[in-house]
Amino acid sequence: MMLDPKNVTGVTMPWEEKKKEYPVIKGDVETVKKWWEQIDGVACAFLWFVVTAM
Amino acid sequence: MAKTMEELYQERMTRYSKAMMLEKPDKVPFRPFAAEIAGKIAGYNAQEVTHDVDKALDAVIKMCKKVDGIDATVSNMVYVWTGLTESYGTKYIRIPGIDLEVDESFQYMEPRTEENAFMKADEYDRFIENPTEFVANVWMPRISKYIKMPGETNTMANNMAWLRGGIAMMMYGGKIGAHVQKMREEAGVVSCLDGALKAPFDILADKFRGFRGIAYDMRRQPDKVLKATEAVAPHMLWNALGGANADKRIPVSHWMHRGATGFFSNEIFEKFYWPSLKMVTEKIWEAGHQTIYYAEGKWGKNLQYFRQLPDKSIIFHCDKDDIYEVHKVLGDKFCISGGVPNHMLAFAEPADIRKHVKKIVQDFGKDGGFILDAEAIMQQDVKVENFIAMAQACTEYGVV
């Protein structure tokens, strides 16, 4: 089955989009990315938890 | 010397795991899906176990301690904590003690008109393009009294609904995690489910378009319905695996609705319901997890489709089908659970329950791959003495 490229799981705001907010990241990019993605994933989990379980 | 709780837990986990993997355990496992009946045993009414999650969880512990013979059970079968759903203002749930009498079960209320549907007939393209965006920006504002759509005037009620909802979900997850450990340490009982799956077609029918809406759509815009099931399927998989048990011994739950044979034809099932569900189930199995097909209603005409799944990938829970027929069709490939009609648990006497359980466990237990349970979740209409009789009879006759 072919999915729309916008249809990704576990993401509400992709890191690529978030990254544009920073003119430069002076330290470790991966640290910033990791925690953005983890917390955004939990926010996404909230949405689908409500849909599927509540 | 009496067994420790950990020894009991390990014994019960082995029993449960073996049955699910089509092996023959030392005894037929008793795995009650005990909802409001747990509260009844513990002395709580429906409002208490639905709106007060601490009482709901306490009820399960009390039930496990009071009733000997429970091998595994659901950590909270009154799964909708209405304290949580009220935090973001859910419109579609009727709550005991608020909308209903204190000892009535909570109810889902599906919108009756297209005007009130949570997803309109002309919104498939937006849903298909990005279901998460649709849920956040369209569905949540429609199902909530407080949440606003982008572009609407913002309110504090909107902001706080999101905040409260997210916090409540984290609270619920934390409480369930601690409770599963408490079941193990204080009662030696296995929490029998982890992770939640819904068939893509069911989620579309139950939560977005409603039964009437989906019935019209399958005639008027069938391609879009099919694409919508395909679009939402990865999210169902992600959601199921996200909550799945790390050591992979506990199955993912799957609550099955509109694929039952009373709703739609075989052709509809084959075209709209089965392909995306099959794909998701196979992916869950590839990830190392079994799935419980909690097949509410009758599924007789569709049982053959489930044989397409890998051996042992599901546990088929039998509700209103003839369990002997289900065992005949699926019993060589999958573990079967169920066996005790809820009407018996509500209206019969303990002696009748014992007689029925004896026959069921002796007929199916000798080959393994069978778990005793009621046909459907057990609510407040189940007699406590019948619940206890079911557990006792399984202990007494389940060693075959």
Side-chain angles (χ1 to χ4, degrees), chain A:
Chain A
M1 69 185 66
M2 290 292 292
L3 295 179
D4 192 294
K6 289 180 190 158
N7 185 12
V8 289
T9 58
V11 176
T12 71
M13 184 174 178
W15 167 246
E16 290 69 31
E17 196 179 326
K18 173 69 180 170
K19 197 169 58 175
K20 291 175 190 164
E21 295 173 9
Y22 308 115
V24 63
I25 295 175
K26 296 176 181 175
D28 181 37
V29 176
E30 282 307 308
T31 300
V32 185
K33 178 174 184 277
K34 179 180 118 179
W35 285 103
W36 173 259
E37 289 183 337
Q38 279 202 20
I39 294 172
D40 187 58
V42 175
C44 191
F46 169 70
L47 294 173
W48 289 102
F49 165 78
V50 171
V51 172
T52 55
M54 291 292 110

Side-chain angles (χ1 to χ4, degrees), chain B residues 6-23:
Chain B
E6 184 59 21
E7 285 170 337
L8 268 177
Y9 176 86
Q10 293 298 340
E11 181 180 298
R12 288 164 172 166
M13 174 63 95
T14 300
R15 187 175 291 145
Y16 185 45
S17 299
K18 279 191 166 185
M20 290 190 293
M21 294 305 284
L22 270 187
E23 296 171 26

